Amino acid sequence: MRRKRRFSSITLLSVGHACVDVYQGAVASLVPFFVTERAYGYAAVSGIVLAASLLSSVAQPVFGVLTDRRAMPWLLPVSTLLGGLGVALSGLGGSYALTLASVAVSGVGVAAYHPESARVARIASRGSHRAMGWFSLGGNLGFALAPLMVAAVVGTGGLRLTPILVLPALVGAVLCLPVLRAAERRTSAATGAVSAAGDDRASFMRLSLAVVCRSVVFVGLSTFVSLYVTERMGGSTAAGTAALFVLYLGGAAGSVLGGALADRWDRVTVSRWSYLLTAGSVAGLLLVPGPALYLFVAVTSAGLYVPFSLQVTLGQDYLPSRVGTASGITLGLTVSIGGLVSPLIGGLADATSLRTALTPLVLLPVLGWLLFRTLPEPAPPPSRSSAGPAPASPQGETHVTFAHVTGDRATSSQEMKAPITTEEHTWTRD
């Protein structure tokens, strides 16, 4: 029964996550339409992507700090609506400044959503890597569906129909309400604080640098892969849209696979080899001619997303006293670097070619692989609870104690014991 409730909550959170991240994917999906209807150049459309990604990323640690101080579950429905509203307004009016302002509003909504949703999802998952993988899957599906949604709406009636794109936000805001009520019941009795003495800031910094490498590759490809494939496939806009869809859809498979692999091996090992795989697949994307490049788009996407949810929980476990801040940085601040680099890629593409501009992306996953070689798998935080260790499980099963706290809280994927006075769960890892 407990496992059923856990996956019911994760399912709702996953769908809600999709309803938010569809707007991150929508901004990149709108790029070809801004180019054709408004004659924006590469640098101009890079600026639009930058406006959305910068605010959705840089502001996330701010919301993370706030949620470390006080739980703010109401942010989930409000931020979902805000993310949808910004994209809905982006196609109205011909002003470039108004377009930037609209996608910026959407970016703020996305920023407010992720740290608090990561906190709620970690509570609902009770430390399961696989459950967190399913939560991340929702976001990846939202990215994957964005090109189809934009093509179905804007592709048929132009940018004037962007207000229709607010519909997923309305659905997501409603779906998160029962999850928030359940999470509030589980956390209302838990109080306490976690000392910062257990924080491994050096490892967290190296992890953040690796996430930056991933961010530059992903944002660069999500911005330009559609245009690049359009050029390679003889000017077919449909071919470019299909490549963007494959890029996002491959991430869905990667997220689920990452959680399953981490349950078999440790998160650092799985992430390290994923980065190495990504380096080879990006090279193949740029070098292989014809339709075969779609295979390399899919492998690149999977390689980028296998470590995605694992990096979030690693960050939380490296900074157990600042879970919201860690989530805001790994989900947000590091991603902003990708948005900052995107205009540089666009400027280089304007001066040379897209293939030349995208070639440096091959090296960044190699740097991420080298950084992960220096990272330890976080050990379970030392117990300061009066309760003894979890009882031995028959047939090799592992029982893990999970505790959560409000205020300055900690969560961990292995064992979570904090100086709390109430509500402690014992669960069996899948």
Side-chain angles (χ1 to χ4, degrees), residues 313-388:
T313 58
L314 280 171
Q316 291 173 339
D317 291 346
Y318 286 141
L319 295 183
S321 71
R322 293 291 183 269
V323 169
T325 302
S327 300
I329 292 174
T330 55
L331 285 169
L333 184 60
T334 52
V335 177
S336 68
I337 306 300
L340 290 171
V341 173
S342 183
L344 299 180
I345 297 175
L348 182 59
D350 282 332
T352 57
S353 68
L354 266 178
R355 175 181 283 184
T356 300
L358 294 175
T359 298
L361 300 185
V362 176
L363 300 177
L364 291 174
V366 177
L367 178 57
W369 173 73
L370 293 173
L371 287 166
F372 262 95
R373 286 178 59 87
T374 70
L375 291 178
E377 180 72 17
S383 172
R384 290 179 294 170
S385 172
S386 58

Side-chain angles (χ1 to χ4, degrees), residues 275-426:
Y275 273 83
L276 198 58
L277 173 67
T278 301
S281 60
V282 172
L285 191 162
L286 298 175
L287 298 175
V288 173
L293 64 82
Y294 286 104
L295 174 63
F296 289 96
V297 173
V299 175
T300 297
S301 178
L304 288 170
Y305 269 98
V306 161
F308 184 71
S309 65
L310 308 182
Q311 291 170 157
V312 175
T313 58
L314 280 171
Q316 291 173 339
D317 291 346
Y318 286 141
L319 295 183
S321 71
R322 293 291 183 269
V323 169
T325 302
S327 300
I329 292 174
T330 55
L331 285 169
L333 184 60
T334 52
V335 177
S336 68
I337 306 300
L340 290 171
V341 173
S342 183
L344 299 180
I345 297 175
L348 182 59
D350 282 332
T352 57
S353 68
L354 266 178
R355 175 181 283 184
T356 300
L358 294 175
T359 298
L361 300 185
V362 176
L363 300 177
L364 291 174
V366 177
L367 178 57
W369 173 73
L370 293 173
L371 287 166
F372 262 95
R373 286 178 59 87
T374 70
L375 291 178
E377 180 72 17
S383 172
R384 290 179 294 170
S385 172
S386 58
S393 172
Q395 300 178 352
E397 293 181 335
T398 302
H399 284 277
V400 185
T401 301
F402 178 92
H404 52 264
V405 296
T406 55
D408 289 338
R409 59 180 64 77
T411 56
S412 170
S413 63
Q414 299 287 328
E415 178 185 52
M416 306 184 60
K417 294 183 179 180
I420 63 174
T421 57
T422 61
E423 192 169 348
E424 192 172 80
H425 301 291
T426 299

Side-chain angles (χ1 to χ4, degrees), residues 22-359:
V22 71
Y23 295 112
Q24 292 197 75
V27 173
S29 301
L30 287 168
V31 164
F33 298 98
F34 288 132
V35 171
T36 57
E37 289 193 32
R38 298 180 180 176
Y40 292 163
Y42 287 141
V45 294
S46 297
I48 292 174
V49 174
L50 173 63
S53 62
L54 188 63
L55 279 174
S56 67
S57 304
V58 172
Q60 281 195 40
V62 176
F63 288 104
V65 170
L66 294 175
T67 58
D68 277 334
R69 296 177 181 274
R70 173 186 288 273
M72 297 180 178
W74 55 267
L75 275 177
L76 270 64
V78 171
S79 60
T80 300
L81 293 173
L82 197 61
L85 181 63
V87 168
L89 295 175
S90 66
L92 302 181
S95 167
Y96 183 72
L98 179 60
T99 302
L100 286 176
S102 298
V103 298
V105 168
S106 180
V108 171
V110 172
Y113 176 85
H114 281 92
E116 184 67 3
S117 67
R119 181 190 71 85
V120 173
R122 197 73 189 275
I123 293 172
S125 71
R126 295 185 172 92
S128 168
H129 297 316
R130 188 168 300 178
M132 286 298 291
W134 283 105
F135 169 69
S136 296
L137 170 64
N140 301 335
L141 288 177
F143 267 102
L145 292 174
L148 300 181
M149 179 183 73
V150 170
V153 176
V154 182
T156 58
L159 291 172
R160 63 184 179 84
L161 295 185
T162 55
I164 298 176
L165 301 179
V166 78
L167 293 178
L170 300 177
V171 174
V174 172
L175 288 179
C176 71
L177 297 179
V179 179
L180 298 183
R181 287 194 292 267
E184 184 178 0
R185 285 195 298 269
R186 285 198 293 268
T187 59
S188 59
T191 58
V194 177
S195 170
D199 290 352
D200 185 353
R201 298 186 180 184
S203 293
F204 182 79
M205 288 298 297
R206 294 195 297 274
L207 171 68
S208 298
L209 290 175
V211 178
V212 166
C213 294
R214 177 202 173 276
S215 167
V216 172
V217 175
F218 181 76
V219 175
L221 290 178
S222 65
T223 303
F224 294 109
V225 73
S226 178
L227 297 173
Y228 174 73
V229 173
T230 297
E231 289 183 359
R232 293 284 300 276
M233 301 297 287
S236 171
T237 303
T241 300
L244 192 61
F245 175 72
V246 171
L247 179 70
Y248 293 158
L249 187 62
S255 292
V256 176
L257 181 62
L261 292 175
D263 281 339
R264 183 176 180 84
W265 294 284
D266 64 82
R267 292 167 290 179
V268 171
T269 298
V270 172
S271 299
R272 183 171 67 241
W273 288 108
S274 297
Y275 273 83
L276 198 58
L277 173 67
T278 301
S281 60
V282 172
L285 191 162
L286 298 175
L287 298 175
V288 173
L293 64 82
Y294 286 104
L295 174 63
F296 289 96
V297 173
V299 175
T300 297
S301 178
L304 288 170
Y305 269 98
V306 161
F308 184 71
S309 65
L310 308 182
Q311 291 170 157
V312 175
T313 58
L314 280 171
Q316 291 173 339
D317 291 346
Y318 286 141
L319 295 183
S321 71
R322 293 291 183 269
V323 169
T325 302
S327 300
I329 292 174
T330 55
L331 285 169
L333 184 60
T334 52
V335 177
S336 68
I337 306 300
L340 290 171
V341 173
S342 183
L344 299 180
I345 297 175
L348 182 59
D350 282 332
T352 57
S353 68
L354 266 178
R355 175 181 283 184
T356 300
L358 294 175
T359 298

